[in-house]
């Protein structure tokens, strides 16, 4: 059906899906299965760009370990109630129906082919089978109520205008601008009076203050990270494999606590990261260990040589310098005060958080 907007003709679509990512494609397929005329508008040059990046290119499309505690926010029920309507088992069955055989890796479900591309191809094939129309490289500029009717919408893009009976906003958040997630959907939602929670980065690496991080870049350690606010209140903590990067810290434990840092920073609060590089040892045990390394077995060794075998040498060098100990200072000349400072750096290294990636 063709309608006119002034002198310009507007196509009439029953269901218009904004965004051609995983959720947009699934929504379009489900609507088309109900015999609706469906169109997807995607501003990138292909569908599913972010999907291809999931699971390190392998696409972990669902997770069998699901409980309310896995979801974050002021109201855990907000996400959990939605999850109850479409479980992991439902997802596995749904993908099986379009040709994706699942394989279980510790509760994470991947395609048996171990490639994200097969998931994308299966979704694209189903879109074709359901006769869903797809418009690529067409960015949505605005969504407005159709003033001529009580229901319906006028969607304007950088190329055309459409009248839609229903609009599904599946634009994603702001996590991956390179893949198309630039926050467009927030603007569309706000225009209709929806209340938005201030977006904040989560599951991200943390940027730290200082110029020493380049020296520890590339190291992985089993450690524990703590986040404190300006009042020394603990915001969050987590333990696991921490990746030391040139701008700060990364890895799953950091991802798990990062949202607390970004939210506090958005509130203009000071945030401090405290890193425990030897979480299996107490302060007393580390002190005793250093006493033997820098006293009993230290003859002829320098400070950096006394640390060999305890931590990665690049990390040891950073910790010695942060404890104000010269790397080449004879180990036997290290004072008790210096040893205690080194213990503090190994167990409670504190660095100011300046942002997130």
């Amino acid at each position: 059906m063709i309608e006119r907007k002034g002198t310009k003709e507007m196509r009439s679509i029953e269901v218009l899906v904004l965004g051609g990512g995983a959720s947009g494609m699934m929504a379009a397929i489900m609507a088309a299965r109900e015999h609706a005329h469906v169109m997807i508008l995607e501003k990138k040059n292909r569908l599913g760009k972010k999907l291809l990046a999931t699971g390190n290119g392998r696409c972990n499309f669902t997770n069998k370990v699901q409980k309310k505690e896995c979801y974050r926010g002021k109201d855990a029920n907000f996400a959990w109630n939605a999850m109850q309507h479409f479980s992991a088992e439902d997802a596995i069955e749904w993908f099986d129906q379009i040709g994706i055989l699942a394989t279980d890796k510790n509760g994470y479900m991947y395609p048996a082919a171990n490639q994200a591309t097969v998931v994308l191809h299966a979704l694209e094939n189903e879109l074709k089978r359901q006769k869903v129309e797809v418009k690529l490289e067409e960015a949505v500029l605005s969504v407005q109520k159709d003033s001529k009717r009580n229901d319906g919408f006028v969607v304007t893009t950088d190329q055309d205008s459409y009248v839609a009976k229903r609009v599904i906003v599946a634009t994603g958040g702001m996590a991956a601008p390179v893949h198309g997630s630039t926050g467009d959907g927030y603007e569309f939602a706000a225009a209709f009076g929806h209340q938005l929670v201030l977006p904040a980065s989560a599951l991200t690496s943390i940027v730290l203050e200082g110029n020493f991080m380049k020296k520890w870049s590339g190291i992985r350690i089993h450690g524990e990270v703590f986040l404190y606010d300006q009042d020394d209140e603990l915001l969050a903590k987590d333990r696991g494999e921490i990746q030391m990067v040139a701008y700060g810290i990364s890895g799953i434990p950091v991802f798990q606590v990062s949202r607390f840092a970004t939210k506090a920073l958005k509130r203009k609060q000071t945030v401090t990261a405290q890193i425990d590089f030897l979480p299996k040892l107490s302060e007393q045990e580390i002190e005793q260990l250093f006493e033997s390394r820098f006293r009993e077995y230290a003859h002829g060794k320098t400070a950096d040589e006394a640390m060999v075998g305890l931590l990665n040498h690049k990390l040891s060098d950073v910790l010695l310098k942060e404890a104000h100990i010269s790397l080449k200072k004879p180990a036997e000349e290290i004072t008790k005060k210096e040893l205690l400072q080194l213990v503090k750096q190994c167990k409670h290294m504190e660095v100011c958080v300046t942002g997130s990636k």
Side-chain angles (χ1 to χ4, degrees):
M1 179 180 173
I2 303 293
E3 296 200 6
R4 292 185 178 276
K5 182 183 180 182
T7 59
K8 188 175 180 179
E9 295 179 340
M10 290 192 294
R11 288 189 59 193
S12 181
I13 307 294
E14 196 170 357
V15 177
L16 197 56
V17 181
L18 313 186
S23 59
M25 287 186 282
M26 285 188 71
I29 290 167
M30 297 299 278
R33 286 178 180 177
E34 296 297 320
H35 311 294
H37 173 207
V38 185
M39 177 190 286
I40 294 176
L41 294 176
E42 168 56 48
K43 66 181 176 183
K44 304 301 283 187
N45 61 2
R46 70 168 302 175
L47 297 173
K49 279 211 166 187
K50 194 161 62 174
L51 184 149
L52 293 176
T54 60
N56 288 325
R58 295 180 294 146
C59 189
N60 50 315
F61 60 84
T62 192
N63 184 350
K64 281 187 173 180
V65 181
Q66 293 189 7
K67 51 189 177 181
K68 186 164 67 174
E69 291 72 27
C70 292
Y71 299 92
R72 305 290 188 254
K74 291 181 180 178
D75 180 10
N77 285 316
F78 180 78
W80 184 238
N81 288 341
M83 295 300 297
Q84 303 275 56
H85 292 282
F86 195 78
S87 66
E89 289 71 26
D90 293 330
I92 294 166
E93 182 181 354
W94 194 92
F95 279 101
D96 182 69
Q97 290 173 355
I98 64 169
I100 299 299
L101 178 65
T103 184
D104 187 337
K105 294 183 180 179
N106 300 318
Y108 299 96
M109 305 306 298
Y110 293 86
N114 223 25
Q115 291 179 300
T117 50
V118 302
V119 178
L120 178 55
H121 291 158
L123 288 166
E124 289 176 322
N125 289 338
E126 187 64 13
L127 288 172
K128 291 176 184 176
R129 201 170 75 86
Q130 296 297 334
K131 296 181 173 55
V132 173
E133 195 173 349
V134 176
K135 295 277 189 177
L136 299 176
E137 298 183 285
E138 187 166 346
V140 176
L141 302 178
S142 67
V143 183
Q144 299 174 317
K145 275 281 189 180
D146 186 353
S147 58
K148 296 179 180 179
R149 301 174 179 79
N150 292 327
D151 63 347
F153 305 87
V154 174
V155 176
T156 304
T157 74
D158 57 359
Q159 297 180 33
D160 214 334
S161 293
Y162 305 90
V163 174
K165 188 174 182 181
R166 298 286 184 266
V167 172
I168 298 174
V169 180
T171 54
M174 298 176 69
V178 69
H179 299 310
S181 299
T182 57
D184 302 357
Y186 297 139
E187 296 179 17
F188 303 146
F192 282 89
H194 291 292
Q195 196 171 17
L196 302 180
V197 175
L198 184 66
S201 300
L203 297 178
T204 180
S205 51
I206 287 176
V207 181
L208 301 177
E209 187 177 68
N211 54 13
F212 61 86
M213 276 87 72
K214 289 181 181 179
K215 296 175 183 175
W216 71 18
S217 181
I219 299 171
R220 294 171 182 255
I221 60 108
H222 182 83
E224 191 164 12
V225 60
F226 304 79
L227 293 179
Y228 292 92
D229 66 13
Q230 57 203 25
D231 300 317
D232 289 328
E233 291 288 332
L234 179 66
L235 297 173
K237 65 177 181 176
D238 206 85
R239 180 188 288 203
E241 187 179 79
I242 300 173
Q243 297 174 26
M244 321 307 291
V245 290
Y247 53 81
I249 50 177
S250 189
I252 290 176
V254 179
F255 292 167
Q256 296 285 54
V257 302
S258 60
R259 71 187 183 95
F260 296 95
T262 54
K263 286 187 175 182
L265 290 171
K266 280 183 178 290
R267 294 193 296 267
K268 306 300 182 183
Q269 293 182 331
T270 300
V271 181
T272 301
Q274 189 180 104
I275 308 169
D276 183 352
F277 295 102
L278 296 167
K280 293 181 180 180
L281 299 176
S282 66
E283 283 189 50
Q284 185 178 9
E285 289 170 328
I286 298 173
E287 185 181 342
Q288 291 172 350
L289 182 64
F290 284 170
E291 284 289 346
S292 64
R293 281 177 172 261
F294 286 84
R295 300 283 187 268
E296 189 176 349
Y297 304 109
H299 183 68
K301 292 182 179 180
T302 57
D304 59 343
E305 290 171 341
M307 292 288 284
V308 171
L310 179 62
L311 294 166
N312 182 290
H313 75 278
K314 291 198 294 183
L315 178 57
S316 293
D317 288 355
V318 169
L319 296 175
L320 284 165
K321 288 179 179 179
E322 290 300 304
H324 305 293
I325 299 172
S326 171
L327 302 184
K328 298 306 175 183
K329 184 175 181 177
E332 295 166 292
E333 296 180 13
I334 304 298
T335 66
K336 181 73 171 181
K337 182 179 179 180
E338 288 174 322
L339 274 187
L340 291 177
Q341 185 60 30
L342 184 58
V343 170
K344 182 181 178 181
Q345 292 301 320
C346 290
K347 196 69 182 168
H348 309 289
M349 184 184 195
E350 291 188 357
V351 192
C352 185
V353 177
T354 60
S356 61
K357 284 290 182 180

